[in-house]
Amino acid sequence: MTVRRDFKEPARCRPDLVIGREELFTTARERLASGGSVLLHGPAGIGKSTVLRALAAEYAGEARTVLRCSATESESHLPFLALADLLGLVLDQVSDRLPAAQRTALESALTGRGESTLQRDGLALRLAVLSTLRALAAEGPVLVVADDLQWLDPASAELLGFAARRLGGTPVRLLCAVRTEGQEYDRHLRALPPDALAVRLGPLSRAQVSALLDHRGYTGLSRSTVRDIHRTSGGNPLFALELGRALAENPAPPRPGEPLPVPTSLRALVLSRLEMLPDEARRTLLVASAGARPTLALLHAAGRRNAEAETARAAELGLLATEPEGPAVRFAHPLISAALYAEAPAHERRAAHAALSTAASDPIERARHLALATSGADPEVAARLAEAAALARDRGAPSVAASLGLLAARHTPPGSDPGPDERRLQAAEDALTAGEVDLARDIAREVLTRASAPAERVRAWMVVIESAGQALGEVDAAFPQALADAGDDPRLLALVHYQLAWRGLVVQGDFAQGREEAAHAAELAARAGDRRTELLALAFQAQAETLMGHPDAPATIKRALKEPQDPRVACHHNGAGSARFRWLIMSDRLPEARTTLTALLREVRRRGMAESEVHYLRFLAETELRSGHCGRALDLARESLRLARDAGIGEAASAMLTSLAEAAGGDVGRALSLAREAVDRAEEDGDVVYLSRALAALGHARLVAGDARAAVRALRRVRELEQGIGITDPARGRWHGDLAEALVRTGEVAEAQDLIDVTRVQALRLGRESVLAVLDRAEALVRAARGEHDAAMAQLTSVQERLAKLGHGLEEARAAFELARLRTLPRSPGLARAGEASRPGPTSYDEAARLFRRCRALPWLRQVDAAAATRPPEPAPAPAAVPAGLDGLASMERQVASLVMEGATNREIAARLFISVKTVEATLTRVYRKLGIRSRVDIVRLAAERRTD
């Protein structure tokens, strides 16, 4: 029974109720399911009530009675009000089971007809609440839901706490939420059982705020705007949604340097305490809100002589955070600063910026404040802003450089050299470097609406194309227009043909065409003296040749690494350093690959190159995965995915690699989910290249999950795709061993051997030692399936040693695991070679477990534990020799037939031979055809005739 219908929730809560709260939601739900109680706490607007409602809706189905109350500040002085909300509708149901004194006291408190007080009827009331809850619990589980615990009237809070501390094993669970600042929630736990779980709700990440805004329909916001919303809201979901609503209702987005529009609802919420400050103190706080890193010294330099006393008073009112050990002036919440700035008249804002333009010590800050204090075009201000943007770029702050560049363009008079559009395009390129692709694309498209100079138009088209990322098919129309604008200028044509190389690869899936376009772009750039584009084109050509298994790849890499180098290209994820890394890792030179990547990652972080950082984190994760450092790989992959989601760049690739890392060292279910996401994104983008990688990750995750048939389906698609786009180097995706293994598991042994033979030719040609070792491991499984156990074990032993020498720790452990499984496989004495005694062999999985533990390969360790715990049954006695009637059968067919003769079922045969039941059935069909019989009964008859002879 659920009471208080006005609080009743639907059976399924809205998805936004738990966006960003999945982990803590699961923790709280598990505590409730196990019979415990939960206290949710956090600041106003953080989402406590929504999570509480979602938990209550989920658990309500398991509870017979749900009691609810939601207190308010205005009613907190009314005694017993919350108690009336909780028990008012169930009093009649249980009153006859209460002692008379308790019933009288409780009725008086709930109805207000008497004069019951805690002082006069304290014990009776306390016992009455406890007895009521016990009586309700006797009929089934009870859930007590109390929101805004901080406004609970003191009498109700005291009674509820008394009962909660004495419920013991009674099936009564309390689910409460309370507003707190910091960690001050202990006193509220007195209203809950002693073992209650306290769960703090913290701010959402930028990606979670973006997901929440999308879910609520605010989908037209650029990523840079979402970044500003996240920063201004401090990750508070209520504040973020209000800011998103205000932006959606505002037809013109704020320009760079301008604040977000703060809606009246939030201004009233955070600025009510400002009325208690004098005007001069408010102006001091306005100067602080306009500064990037305000300090008392800065405020003094800006002319605020009484800054200490004014900021101290603001801190007393809760507007500023107290910083006893530091000089910083920090607002208690970013929204206070934003609302204060938005509330101020325009002339006061300009005055604050004018004061800061001389007070700030940093030249970038001085230039920004000067721009915001100036209205209209001013060439001197524009020049200072352009210089500040260049300085920010050199400092590794491309996002700041983009903002300053747009301010410079706004203050640049028409007809100047450089002109406004040239400065806008530089800002767009800075935005691309910072990972703000939406902003970059919008700037470029704006320039294209009015620019007539070919150089500016081609430069703008390049920004549009690059901002599309892997979804180059969406900007197909840009290429012919860019070619037309380039005319016969070799420098401009080189830029276009470099992007055409990417189009040929990503959209058409044609490595050969991409290589040709890149070579042509390099030639054009060299003719025009554009070393930057030449280096990028050579790096692309080198990567394409590496993946194609082209013999010229090392020579092209050497050309791309020749001096002179462009520092930004040298560390770019599409530069020569990246091409060399790919060649190193495919050549099994893992230590060199790691060293190369570490240096590249350090440099792109220094320069603030967001997209390159995402790529290099992923590359480094791949290197650690190959080395068998699964925990480290998982951390790096997750970081890459987090950054990719925040910036909206490289998400499919990062999801793909994180799937591989999860399958190796994390959670297989998560691996499957990420792989499916990567496949979906690649298909949406029309990205054939990453589609094959994503499908390979999906196939691997399915194999680790134990679904060999699904793995075969995914990996066969990979084979078809890579054959179509011209990838011949098996070290690129390293999926071939997985497919061969999955084929063996599904009984398609011949296809597995064919795949191994074909792949081995390419691996031998290119000297891919680790690929050859993995192929040999798969071939050992083929031999085992054919009954060649000794040869299979010898091959696996050799494979394990070779992979250990190459430093491929996880693959080494997988070889040890297969060897252990093969050693535990019981063999019938009748199937042993002539003159060989039957011997079971070692049954320990210790070596495989040790190696997987060293790698922190948790999913594989679980497989080892499962295999060790379920050893197959010992075989029944078999004839001393192979029956004469079976001489013409293949090895696998003889094994299956012999086990049928022993009386084994198809399922038992499958378990003992490590094959599927379907494979047993298919093998028996071939046996019947070769022996001219119709059923397994005829095989048993052959065995009987053999014994009679």
Side-chain angles (χ1 to χ4, degrees):
M1 178 184 84
T2 300
V3 300
R4 292 302 307 270
R5 291 180 179 273
D6 52 325
F7 284 103
K8 188 173 181 181
E9 292 293 324
R12 296 185 66 183
C13 58
R14 296 199 315 274
D16 61 307
L17 296 184
V18 292
I19 286 176
R21 311 295 190 194
E22 293 82 3
E23 186 173 346
L24 66 84
F25 184 87
T26 300
T27 301
R29 181 178 57 195
E30 290 174 351
R31 176 57 67 97
L32 290 172
S34 65
S37 296
V38 174
L39 175 68
L40 305 170
H41 66 99
I46 205 66
K48 303 178 299 298
S49 297
T50 52
V51 174
L52 179 135
R53 288 195 293 270
L55 285 167
E58 181 143 332
Y59 185 74
E62 300 181 26
R64 188 179 190 280
T65 305
V66 180
L67 309 173
R68 300 175 187 265
C69 73
S70 184
T72 62
E73 184 177 10
S74 62
E75 298 172 340
S76 61
H77 66 285
L78 300 174
F80 306 120
L81 181 61
L83 191 67
D85 284 343
L86 289 170
L87 302 182
L89 296 182
V90 297
L91 181 60
D92 293 342
Q93 179 184 336
V94 299
S95 61
D96 59 343
R97 283 176 274 176
L98 302 181
Q102 295 180 22
R103 181 171 61 251
T104 300
L106 186 59
E107 288 177 346
S108 176
L110 296 183
T111 61
R113 289 194 293 267
E115 297 182 358
S116 180
T117 65
L118 277 178
Q119 288 71 31
R120 193 180 74 179
D121 302 318
L123 182 59
L125 268 175
R126 288 172 170 84
L127 293 175
V129 173
L130 179 59
S131 298
T132 299
L133 292 174
R134 284 174 173 167
L136 292 170
E139 300 175 1
V142 176
L143 176 65
V144 178
V145 183
D147 199 2
D148 283 317
L149 209 60
Q150 75 278 3
W151 305 133
L152 222 63
D153 63 275
S156 296
E158 168 62 27
L159 292 170
L160 187 61
F162 175 86
R165 291 190 294 274
R166 289 163 176 80
L167 287 170
T170 308
V172 178
R173 297 150 175 81
L174 275 72
L175 173 60
C176 304
V178 62
R179 181 187 300 178
T180 57
E181 297 295 336
Q183 296 291 327
E184 299 172 3
Y185 61 90
D186 291 354
R187 62 189 180 91
H188 299 290
L189 283 171
R190 289 179 295 184
L192 281 82
D195 62 345
L197 172 69
V199 178
R200 176 169 177 77
L201 276 71
L204 299 180
S205 69
R206 191 198 305 182
Q208 291 163 349
V209 165
S210 177
L212 181 61
L213 291 167
D214 286 347
H215 178 71
R216 288 296 186 91
Y218 306 130
T219 55
L221 304 174
S222 68
R223 291 188 179 273
S224 56
T225 301
V226 172
R227 179 200 60 196
D228 291 341
I229 290 175
H230 177 256
R231 183 180 61 244
T232 304
S233 69
N236 185 297
L238 172 64
F239 298 169
L241 287 171
E242 287 296 296
L243 290 167
R245 181 180 60 78
L247 282 166
E249 294 172 355
N250 190 356
R255 295 189 296 180
E258 291 183 345
L260 293 176
V262 180
T264 305
S265 59
L266 291 185
R267 293 191 196 189
L269 178 65
V270 300
L271 296 180
S272 58
R273 284 167 286 185
L274 273 176
E275 297 174 0
M276 304 175 68
L277 285 176
D279 289 344
E280 285 302 311
R282 291 186 64 169
R283 292 191 184 97
T284 295
L285 291 190
L286 174 61
V287 174
S289 72
R293 293 174 295 277
T295 62
L296 287 172
L298 179 66
L299 294 177
H300 278 300
R304 311 310 302 170
R305 289 175 293 181
N306 297 319
E308 283 91 347
E310 291 164 347
T311 55
R313 178 58 180 151
E316 290 174 4
L317 294 173
L319 294 166
L320 295 178
T322 55
E323 297 281 356
E325 301 298 329
V329 176
R330 186 167 63 85
F331 284 88
H333 192 281
L335 189 62
I336 297 175
S337 174
L340 173 63
Y341 188 91
E343 188 79 4
H347 71 276
E348 289 190 10
R349 289 189 213 165
R350 286 196 296 271
H353 286 296
L356 288 169
S357 69
T358 58
S361 59
D362 186 83
I364 292 176
E365 278 300 293
R366 288 200 301 270
R368 184 177 75 87
H369 289 302
L370 179 62
L372 295 173
T374 306
S375 57
D378 187 320
E380 183 179 346
V381 171
R384 286 185 58 181
L385 284 164
E387 291 171 2
L391 180 58
R393 197 176 305 120
D394 290 341
R395 287 182 181 178
S399 180
V400 175
S403 178
L404 292 168
L406 288 175
L407 286 172
R410 188 195 308 174
H411 290 285
T412 301
S416 299
D417 186 21
D421 282 341
E422 187 171 347
R423 283 180 166 151
R424 288 189 182 92
L425 288 171
Q426 180 61 65
E429 290 164 358
D430 287 329
L432 274 180
T433 301
E436 298 179 16
V437 292
D438 293 337
L439 176 61
R441 182 184 58 247
D442 292 345
I443 295 169
R445 290 200 179 280
E446 180 192 351
V447 170
L448 284 168
T449 61
R450 57 174 174 268
S452 57
E456 288 183 353
R457 291 190 61 78
V458 171
R459 195 173 170 189
W461 284 124
M462 294 305 98
V463 172
V464 170
I465 291 168
E466 285 195 45
S467 65
Q470 299 298 118
L472 286 176
E474 296 178 3
V475 292
D476 240 6
F479 289 98
Q481 296 181 68
L483 280 171
D485 285 331
D488 57 0
D489 186 327
R491 185 176 62 84
L492 300 180
L493 284 171
L495 292 170
V496 181
H497 281 282
Y498 172 67
Q499 294 297 342
L500 282 170
W502 281 106
R503 181 185 178 278
L505 177 61
V506 173
V507 178
Q508 296 177 293
D510 191 333
F511 268 80
Q513 181 180 342
R515 175 179 175 269
E516 290 175 9
E517 289 284 5
H520 185 41
E523 180 187 342
L524 287 167
R527 195 191 317 161
D530 181 359
R531 183 62 173 163
R532 180 182 184 278
T533 304
E534 181 187 8
L535 289 169
L536 284 170
L538 286 171
F540 179 100
Q541 183 182 344
Q543 295 217 45
E545 289 173 351
T546 298
L547 297 176
M548 294 168 66
H550 197 286
D552 290 348
T556 307
I557 292 174
K558 188 176 292 186
R559 285 176 62 200
L561 290 170
K562 285 179 64 175
E563 296 294 339
Q565 286 289 316
D566 182 307
R568 297 186 69 81
V569 174
C571 64
H572 193 276
H573 61 277
N574 288 328
S578 177
R580 183 170 184 272
F581 155 75
R582 179 57 55 196
W583 181 77
L584 286 170
I585 197 171
M586 292 173 69
S587 302
D588 298 315
R589 295 165 65 171
L590 298 180
E592 289 180 72
R594 183 183 294 106
T595 301
T596 298
L597 272 182
T598 303
L600 289 169
L601 182 59
R602 187 186 307 115
E603 182 63 14
V604 298
R605 280 176 167 166
R606 187 185 72 79
R607 292 178 176 274
M609 299 168 69
E611 185 174 6
S612 292
E613 182 178 0
V614 170
H615 282 276
Y616 287 144
L617 282 169
R618 189 176 76 248
F619 292 168
L620 192 54
E622 182 181 354
T623 306
E624 299 297 351
L625 200 57
R626 297 273 174 254
S627 303
H629 305 152
C630 299
R632 172 70 173 151
L634 188 56
D635 290 343
L636 289 164
R638 286 173 174 172
E639 185 181 358
S640 171
L641 183 59
R642 178 182 60 80
L643 290 177
R645 292 203 196 289
D646 280 352
I649 49 180
E651 291 182 75
S654 291
M656 173 274 298
L657 201 284
T658 309
S659 170
L660 292 172
E662 290 282 0
D667 179 78
V668 179
R670 175 77 173 150
L672 287 165
S673 174
L674 286 166
R676 293 189 191 102
E677 177 191 336
V679 170
D680 291 344
R681 285 185 177 276
E683 287 180 331
E684 288 172 10
D685 291 343
D687 184 352
V688 180
V689 176
Y690 267 114
L691 178 58
S692 69
R693 295 294 306 273
L695 284 167
L698 179 60
H700 178 75
R702 285 172 170 172
L703 183 63
V704 177
D707 191 348
R709 293 198 176 281
V712 167
R713 288 196 298 272
L715 294 172
R716 277 176 174 160
R717 281 192 66 192
V718 178
R719 181 172 58 186
E720 293 169 4
L721 284 169
E722 293 204 351
Q723 286 174 348
I725 61 181
I727 294 177
T728 61
D729 193 332
R732 185 251 185 177
R734 297 175 185 267
W735 50 266
H736 310 76
D738 282 346
L739 177 53
E741 180 178 333
L743 287 167
V744 173
R745 302 294 182 207
T746 57
E748 296 163 276
V749 178
E751 184 181 345
Q753 187 63 62
D754 288 345
L755 171 66
I756 292 167
D757 292 341
V758 170
T759 308
R760 183 178 281 134
V761 172
Q762 295 293 347
L764 283 169
R765 180 178 67 84
L766 297 168
R768 305 305 191 212
E769 293 296 330
S770 63
V771 174
L772 289 167
V774 169
L775 291 174
D776 283 352
R777 185 183 67 207
E779 189 172 55
L781 301 184
V782 171
R783 288 182 169 180
R786 290 173 173 167
E788 302 168 17
H789 292 240
D790 292 334
M793 284 194 290
Q795 193 167 18
L796 283 172
T797 302
S798 171
V799 165
Q800 183 180 341
E801 293 173 355
R802 288 155 57 197
L803 288 169
K805 290 178 181 177
L806 290 168
H808 285 253
L810 184 58
E811 299 294 357
E812 174 196 357
R814 287 180 63 179
F817 186 27
E818 295 299 343
L819 187 57
R821 285 205 278 205
L822 193 56
R823 282 173 172 162
T824 60
L825 180 64
R827 285 183 288 161
S828 169
L831 296 179
R833 291 198 309 251
E836 181 187 28
S838 173
R839 47 187 174 81
T843 60
S844 172
Y845 285 90
D846 290 348
E847 173 68 1
R850 181 186 69 80
L851 292 173
F852 282 132
R853 195 174 295 112
R854 183 184 69 183
C855 295
R856 288 185 58 192
L858 302 182
W860 290 100
L861 266 174
R862 287 190 282 270
Q863 286 196 39
V864 172
D865 291 342
T870 56
R871 287 177 53 196
E874 292 296 324
V882 177
L886 305 186
D887 288 344
L889 300 180
S891 173
M892 173 66 79
E893 295 164 352
R894 285 200 306 273
Q895 286 181 275
V896 172
S898 295
L899 290 171
V900 169
M901 289 178 175
E902 296 168 11
T905 66
N906 286 2
R907 188 171 297 279
E908 291 169 343
I909 295 169
R912 289 163 69 171
L913 297 181
F914 288 97
I915 58 178
S916 67
V917 174
K918 188 172 182 180
T919 301
V920 174
E921 294 168 351
T923 305
L924 280 174
T925 300
R926 293 195 298 273
V927 169
Y928 300 156
R929 185 173 63 251
K930 288 184 178 181
L931 297 181
I933 58 180
R934 296 183 178 180
S935 69
R936 59 189 295 129
V937 175
D938 294 329
I939 297 179
V940 175
R941 189 175 65 251
L942 284 175
E945 291 172 355
R946 172 69 178 143
R947 285 193 294 272
T948 302
D949 294 342

